Amino acid sequence: MIGFMLFMMLTLFLTVFSSLDEHSPREFYVGNRTLPAWKSGLALAGTFTSTSLLLTVTGVVATAGFDGITTATSISLSLGVLLLLARPIHLSGACTLGELLSLRAHGTAPKIAAAMATLAVAGPFLVVQLMSAGSIVASLLGFPGVGVQKICTVMIGCLVVTCGVLSGAKGLTSVQVLAVTVTGTALFVICAYAVRAFGGDIDALIGTAAQGGNDPSRFLSPGGTIGIGSSSYLDFAGGQLALVLGSACMPHVLNRVYAMKDPAVARRSIRYAAGIVAVLCTALIFLGFAAAARLGTRGIFGGQTQADGALMQLARNLTEGTGNGLGQLMFAAVACALFLCILAVVGGTALAAAGALARDSYPCLTRRRRSTPPNELVVARLAVAAFGVVGITLAVLAQGRSAGFLAQLSTTVAASAVAPALLYTFYWRRFNRTGLLWTVYGATALTIGLYLFSPAVSGTPTALIPTADFAWFGLSSPAVLSVPAAFLLGWAGSLLGGRRDARGADREEVPSAVDTLLLTGRRPAPRTDTPGRPLAPVRPERRPL
């Protein structure tokens, strides 16, 4: 515990100290654009290595086998979607989702819709990370009770939110680089101990893991999660679709793309990040096998409804009986790596929410078109504090309950509302304001509504409210319905909006700013009549043949 506290204090000091020279709102949101490709790739990989990745993938592999491998692969494939979006995102010069969605539809409505989608994704994800932080620190103290977890959630949450208020994106970049480095080192050491425990025979390890899984006959074949978390193959497919599209479009992940130097550096950085995340996912798959072999399904669950504790149990189990405190040291090392991941992800999520509140919503709601940088910076810091306080309160209220589905909710909303809106914005010229609003609002409402009436909230022993039963929607992951519905809403809304525009007077067709951006590779000049808008339609220059 002493080692963990010292590590935590040094990390917080590094975060705040490295951002003392921030003076502009853009630097607070995304940092400066001077990092080389390898460092940006490390920071992006640190953004991906959340506790949901480390704990959930290890637990699913340990209990369900092949389906856990599929989950890890889906997370790695999401970087391919991000690679598709990297160039137009960077060329836009945006630093919030509202500025991206304003490329095709100007006015206050697109920015308000983007802010709503950002909060719908960032809010549940923040709650899950804070709950994990409270559980980890309570385990270090040796008091895993719910009351101690709530106290630890408040303490760690206050420290992390204070760090986010003071540091901004520049200090957070150092934490993200450190997080992926420490996490990779800790996973490598545990993998080495796991191989040593089986005498270097990996085949024996996998064979023993199959016997310790939930269903030995299906451990190495698809469908192992049927009966654990998924009720059907369609449900499992929806979860993988949400991971592929949603992981790439999380607000804190998009913030890393905003901060990259240029499109070429952005592409190289994403390739570096893809390699790092693939290596980490491979290590987590191997550790899931080791957890199943050493602990078994009963030992992993231990009377709980989730298998998220498999990684930390394995770290302690591998060194039991050594008598030299090595098990405690490895357990503390894993806890330090998880704390860094929590700090990196919570800080990035809070900054994304601050951009949505201070840069997208606040000027629109207060009708203040002109805002000085110092005022915007103050509003951004206050937004981080307010968002963090609300997240800590909800995490304390949900502590002790089965709230792991909140991470799935975040990725599903991102896959249903954010991903279709961005793909339509960049790659469909007829996408307009009506289609954008239908996509964002319709997909967000549909996803949250289906989740509220799904087995993840009620009707099952592992639900958020196990004593009630109002789950008329049979799937735990509605992405298989919400993602196609989002694309359909965007298409129908754009056609309807285009017909309304066609009823007006004939006018010369003006290409939108995003078309100019994709064709020329240059960001057009913003309009001067409405300051604060990142891009606006520009008329093409008339030249003689």
Side-chain angles (χ1 to χ4, degrees):
M1 186 63 191
I2 293 174
F4 174 77
M5 295 299 295
L6 290 175
F7 182 82
M8 183 176 64
M9 292 173 61
L10 289 175
T11 302
L12 295 176
F13 175 78
L14 172 65
T15 304
V16 176
F17 181 78
S18 60
S19 60
L20 294 178
D21 57 342
E22 285 184 352
H23 301 290
S24 68
R26 176 174 287 274
E27 289 182 350
F28 182 79
Y29 297 135
V30 298
N32 52 18
R33 294 184 170 185
T34 59
L35 296 179
W38 66 269
K39 193 170 184 179
S40 294
L42 284 174
L44 181 59
T47 305
F48 263 82
T49 47
S50 62
T51 56
S52 299
L53 170 66
L54 299 179
L55 301 180
T56 303
V57 169
T58 308
V60 175
V61 172
T63 55
F66 188 86
D67 287 353
I69 300 176
T70 306
T71 301
T73 305
S74 299
I75 295 174
S76 301
L77 290 177
S78 64
L79 284 161
V81 179
L82 192 63
L83 187 64
L84 179 67
L85 299 173
R87 179 176 179 269
I89 287 176
H90 190 277
L91 288 175
S92 69
C95 61
T96 63
L97 181 62
E99 293 180 353
L100 282 178
L101 298 186
S102 297
L103 292 172
R104 291 221 181 256
H106 297 281
T108 60
K111 290 191 174 183
I112 296 296
M116 186 275 298
T118 301
L119 295 178
V121 174
F125 202 68
L126 177 71
V127 173
V128 172
Q129 301 301 313
L130 293 176
M131 291 174 62
S132 299
S135 301
I136 292 168
V137 177
S139 299
L140 280 174
L141 291 174
F143 300 99
V146 177
V148 179
Q149 291 179 5
K150 292 182 178 181
I151 295 174
C152 294
T153 299
V154 174
M155 293 174 57
I156 298 298
C158 291
L159 287 175
V160 171
V161 171
T162 303
C163 180
V165 172
L166 297 177
S167 66
K170 188 175 180 180
L172 189 64
T173 301
S174 303
V175 176
Q176 291 166 345
V177 173
L178 185 62
V180 70
T181 304
V182 173
T183 301
T185 303
L187 294 182
F188 175 78
V189 173
I190 301 176
C191 286
Y193 267 90
V195 174
R196 180 185 176 186
F198 284 86
D201 191 350
I202 298 179
D203 290 337
L205 187 152
I206 297 176
T208 308
Q211 298 301 318
N214 183 69
D215 188 354
S217 62
R218 303 177 64 179
F219 188 79
L220 297 178
S221 60
T225 56
I226 307 301
I228 301 178
S230 300
S231 59
S232 65
Y233 288 103
L234 186 64
D235 196 1
F236 181 74
Q240 305 312 305
L241 177 63
L243 285 177
V244 173
L245 292 178
S247 299
C249 297
M250 298 290 283
H252 62 283
V253 174
L254 295 177
N255 271 14
R256 289 306 321 165
V257 182
Y258 305 150
M260 293 177 183
K261 188 176 180 180
D262 54 56
V265 170
R267 289 192 294 270
R268 290 199 301 270
S269 300
I270 295 175
R271 293 191 186 102
Y272 291 149
I276 296 170
V277 171
V279 171
L280 292 178
C281 288
T282 303
L284 292 175
I285 293 171
F286 186 81
L287 293 178
F289 286 146
R294 297 280 296 188
L295 303 172
T297 301
R298 294 182 180 179
I300 292 172
F301 281 105
Q304 300 179 358
T305 59
Q306 302 290 333
D308 293 345
L311 179 60
M312 301 191 73
Q313 293 177 29
L314 176 66
R316 179 171 287 173
N317 178 269
L318 287 173
T319 53
E320 282 184 350
T322 56
N324 54 6
L326 189 59
Q328 296 292 338
L329 180 61
M330 186 174 294
F331 187 81
V334 174
C336 291
L338 291 174
F339 170 75
L340 279 174
C341 295
I342 290 170
L343 180 58
V345 174
V346 169
T349 303
L351 289 178
L357 293 172
R359 196 176 183 91
D360 293 337
S361 301
Y362 180 74
C364 298
L365 297 178
T366 58
R367 300 183 181 277
R368 295 180 59 180
R369 295 297 184 183
R370 296 183 182 275
S371 179
T372 60
N375 292 337
E376 184 179 349
L377 191 58
V378 171
V379 174
R381 295 185 189 276
L382 292 176
V384 172
F387 183 72
V389 169
V390 174
I392 293 171
T393 303
L394 295 177
V396 170
L397 294 176
Q399 196 77 49
R401 296 178 177 269
S402 179
F405 79 96
L406 292 176
Q408 299 178 3
L409 174 62
S410 296
T411 54
T412 306
V413 173
S416 303
V418 180
L422 290 179
L423 290 172
Y424 272 147
T425 296
F426 294 134
Y427 298 108
W428 190 32
R429 296 190 61 180
R430 298 182 64 182
F431 192 56
N432 52 32
R433 182 177 181 273
T434 305
L436 172 65
L437 297 181
W438 282 27
T439 300
V440 175
Y441 285 119
T444 303
L446 178 62
T447 302
I448 296 177
L450 292 178
Y451 257 111
L452 289 177
F453 297 100
S454 71
V457 177
S458 67
T460 60
T462 60
L464 179 65
I465 310 175
T467 58
D469 187 4
F470 46 87
W472 55 264
F473 182 68
L475 300 179
S476 298
S477 177
V480 70
L481 295 179
S482 60
V483 172
F487 283 101
L488 183 61
L489 287 172
W491 172 78
S494 297
L495 293 184
L496 179 62
R499 290 177 181 177
R500 289 178 178 176
D501 294 339
R503 294 174 185 173
D506 294 337
R507 54 189 177 183
E508 181 183 359
E509 182 179 358
V510 179
S512 66
V514 66
D515 295 326
T516 305
L517 180 147
L518 292 175
L519 290 174
T520 64
R522 294 192 300 269
R523 178 177 180 265
R527 291 170 54 178
T528 57
D529 56 337
T530 54
R533 301 178 188 271
L535 294 174
V538 292
R539 295 185 180 276
E541 181 182 358
R542 297 183 178 275
R543 296 181 179 178
L545 296 177

